[in-house]
């Protein structure tokens, strides 16, 4: 652990002298590392600012409006001379959603920002575009083993929550586990409306559609007996993948039409959690859309990075506490995927 932090300290000292055109450092205000890392991913999601720029706020709009301050922050991050591009956005969040100087969960804050951006967006069309950019549509199907009636529950997610098994994992194995058919028996029996009693059943999640921006949440925090612990187990993830990995985890009768067309996704941002469940810090790896090179952002410090550096966040390494927590993939165009 000491060697790891020693290397990190050297990298941070070295990074202060670097200036990268596509990523700028963000000062840490009141333990804002979580929001800082997420802002780096939002900034790299150029589609988001394009959508927000379709909205022209009126002069009388509340300064504590989340989409307004998010739009302003993303625009200011492109201005290298701006001393604190995200400070008003942070104050906006502190005023209505999160506490200062407290540990935050990046997936929860990610959802909160997107939900508030929709809720407080007066332009309905723009709000729907923001939702559609990230929305994963799924359907839960519970089949009663007695009467074969199918109970269907539609749902939408902004991130795909993937459980981690102890040992070695891959992104594909985690996806397969999420969509795997489960038997509900004994104390897990499901209440069937048709039978009017609990019955043995099967439970399965069907993927309906994938968004242009796919966020994956590697669920590294597990609650056991009232205590939360972090899982450091290895989860290997690729730079690109085909939607065929989703079809592998679903039965033929639940595979959706969206998987019939083989599409590809490319990784462009990784939100990293360093530390334990009680004391942690967030950073981000960002891939440049211009030249496909990686960089590392740790609050105000930014340095060049490589894919090898990103793979170091797979986990499973003794002594390392830096693990990937959120993965952001962009759907590739037909031209770029070919």
């Amino acid at each position: 652990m000491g060697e790891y932090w020693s290397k990190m300290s050297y990298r941070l000292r070295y990074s202060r002298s670097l200036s990268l055109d596509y990523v700028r450092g963000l000062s840490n205000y009141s333990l804002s590392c979580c929001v800082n890392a997420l802002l780096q991913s939002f900034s790299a999601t150029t589609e988001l600012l394009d959508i927000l720029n379709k909205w022209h706020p009126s002069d009388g709009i509340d300064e504590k409006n989340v989409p307004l301050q998010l739009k302003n922050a993303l625009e200011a991050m492109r201005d290298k001379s701006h001393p604190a591009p995200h400070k008003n956005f942070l104050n906006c969040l502190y005023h209505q959603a999160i506490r200062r100087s407290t540990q935050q969960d990046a997936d929860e804050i990610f959802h909160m920002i997107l939900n508030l951006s929709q809720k407080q967006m007066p332009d309905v069309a723009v709000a729907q575009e923001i939702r559609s950019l990230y929305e994963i549509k799924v359907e839960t199907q519970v089949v009663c083993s007695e009467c074969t009636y199918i109970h269907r529950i539609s749902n939408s997610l902004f991130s795909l929550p993937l459980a981690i098994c102890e040992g070695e994992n891959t992104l594909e194995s985690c996806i397969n586990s999420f969509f795997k058919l489960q038997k509900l028996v004994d104390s897990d029996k499901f209440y069937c409306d048709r039978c009017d009693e609990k019955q043995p059943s099967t439970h399965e999640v069907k993927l309906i559609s994938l968004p242009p921006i796919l966020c994956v949440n590697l669920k590294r925090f597990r609650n056991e007996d009232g205590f939360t612990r972090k899982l450091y187990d290895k989860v290997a993830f690729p730079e690109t993948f085909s939607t065929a990995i989703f079809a592998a985890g679903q039965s033929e009768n639940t595979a959706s039409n969206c998987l019939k067309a083989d599409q590809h996704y490319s990784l462009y941002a990784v939100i990293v959690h360093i530390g334990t469940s009680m004391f942690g810090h967030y950073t981000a790896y960002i891939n440049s859309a211009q030249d496909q090179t990686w960089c590392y952002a740790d609050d105000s410090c930014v340095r060049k990075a490589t894919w090898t550096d990103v793979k170091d966040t797979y986990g499973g390494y003794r002594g390392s506490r830096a693990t990937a927590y959120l993965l952001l993939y962009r759907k590739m165009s037909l031209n770029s995927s070919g």
Side-chain angles (χ1 to χ4, degrees):
M1 186 68 174
E3 180 184 359
Y4 169 76
W5 284 111
S6 177
K7 290 180 179 178
M8 285 298 296
S9 177
Y10 168 77
R11 288 175 175 177
L12 294 182
R13 288 196 300 270
Y14 174 68
S15 67
R16 293 179 191 277
S17 62
L18 290 177
S19 177
L20 303 180
D21 291 337
Y22 53 90
V23 175
R24 63 155 301 165
L26 299 172
S27 298
N28 190 316
Y29 297 102
S30 303
L31 298 182
S32 67
C33 63
C34 178
V35 177
N36 289 0
L38 288 172
L39 275 174
Q40 296 291 2
S41 74
F42 286 136
S43 180
T45 311
T46 54
E47 300 89 338
L48 179 59
L49 184 56
D50 289 341
I51 292 171
L52 288 170
N53 280 336
K54 295 179 181 180
W55 169 49
H56 303 287
S58 61
D59 293 336
I61 192 167
D62 188 349
E63 288 298 312
K64 297 182 179 63
N65 178 279
V66 170
L68 172 67
Q69 294 303 340
L70 176 59
K71 179 176 184 288
N72 291 344
L74 295 180
E75 289 176 338
M77 286 175 68
R78 297 185 175 187
D79 179 5
K80 301 299 180 182
S81 64
H82 200 296
H86 63 316
K87 196 167 186 179
N88 288 339
F89 179 64
L90 287 171
N91 289 334
C92 175
L93 294 181
Y94 291 148
H95 176 77
Q96 59 186 309
I98 63 177
R99 290 183 176 182
R100 298 177 188 266
S101 304
T102 58
Q103 297 284 328
Q104 308 293 341
D105 181 279
D107 186 59
E108 291 179 3
I109 301 301
F110 176 77
H111 278 79
M112 182 203 70
I113 291 172
L114 291 180
N115 282 320
L116 288 175
S117 293
Q118 291 179 86
K119 183 179 179 180
Q120 298 179 10
M121 169 58 69
D123 189 318
V124 177
V126 171
Q128 183 55 50
E129 281 197 63
I130 294 172
R131 183 175 190 85
S132 298
L133 184 62
Y134 292 94
E135 185 178 36
I136 307 162
K137 294 183 179 180
V138 297
E139 181 182 84
T140 300
Q141 298 183 354
V142 181
V143 182
C144 176
S145 300
E146 182 65 27
C147 70
T148 69
Y149 179 71
I150 304 176
H151 301 74
R152 304 176 189 272
I153 303 173
S154 297
N155 198 6
S156 62
L157 314 165
F158 283 141
S159 67
L160 190 65
L162 300 183
I164 297 174
C165 298
E166 297 195 14
E168 293 202 358
N169 304 260
T170 64
L171 179 64
E172 184 171 0
S173 69
C174 292
I175 289 173
N176 288 343
S177 295
F178 182 81
F179 291 103
K180 183 179 180 181
L181 184 142
Q182 298 177 346
K183 293 184 178 180
L184 306 179
V185 296
D186 300 328
S187 61
D188 293 326
K189 289 181 181 179
F190 181 80
Y191 182 83
C192 176
D193 294 332
R194 285 279 183 90
C195 299
D196 198 24
E197 63 178 310
K198 288 186 175 183
Q199 297 284 13
S201 309
T202 59
H203 174 282
E204 190 171 14
V205 178
K206 175 183 178 181
L207 179 64
I208 303 300
S209 65
L210 291 169
I213 300 299
L214 175 63
C215 180
V216 176
N217 173 26
L218 302 178
K219 295 175 68 64
R220 292 195 172 275
F221 299 102
R222 182 173 297 174
N223 191 289
E224 296 177 346
D225 300 323
F227 294 94
T228 301
R229 70 183 181 96
K230 181 179 176 181
L231 301 178
Y232 298 95
D233 301 86
K234 182 178 180 179
V235 184
F237 49 86
E239 274 195 279
T240 61
F241 69 80
S242 161
T243 51
I245 68 174
F246 287 91
Q250 301 193 60
S251 58
E252 289 185 13
N253 63 320
T254 60
S256 65
N257 291 331
C258 77
L259 299 179
K260 293 181 180 179
D262 189 19
Q263 298 175 320
H264 292 78
Y265 279 81
S266 177
L267 183 70
Y268 72 95
V270 179
I271 304 299
V272 180
H273 183 271
I274 304 172
T276 68
S277 60
M278 297 299 294
F279 302 99
H281 178 64
Y282 285 101
T283 61
Y285 281 99
I286 302 296
N287 186 263
S288 166
Q290 287 82 6
D291 57 11
Q292 300 301 306
T293 58
W294 286 94
C295 78
Y296 180 68
D298 182 354
D299 289 332
S300 59
C301 303
V302 177
R303 65 171 174 85
K304 293 180 180 179
T306 65
W307 172 238
T308 298
D309 294 326
V310 178
K311 290 194 292 183
D312 283 344
T313 68
Y314 282 177
Y317 302 113
R318 183 172 297 177
S320 175
R321 293 292 185 266
T323 52
Y325 187 52
L326 296 181
L327 310 175
L328 285 111
Y329 285 90
R330 174 181 282 113
K331 185 182 291 186
M332 300 167 66
S333 67
L334 292 177
N335 292 333
S336 62
S337 63

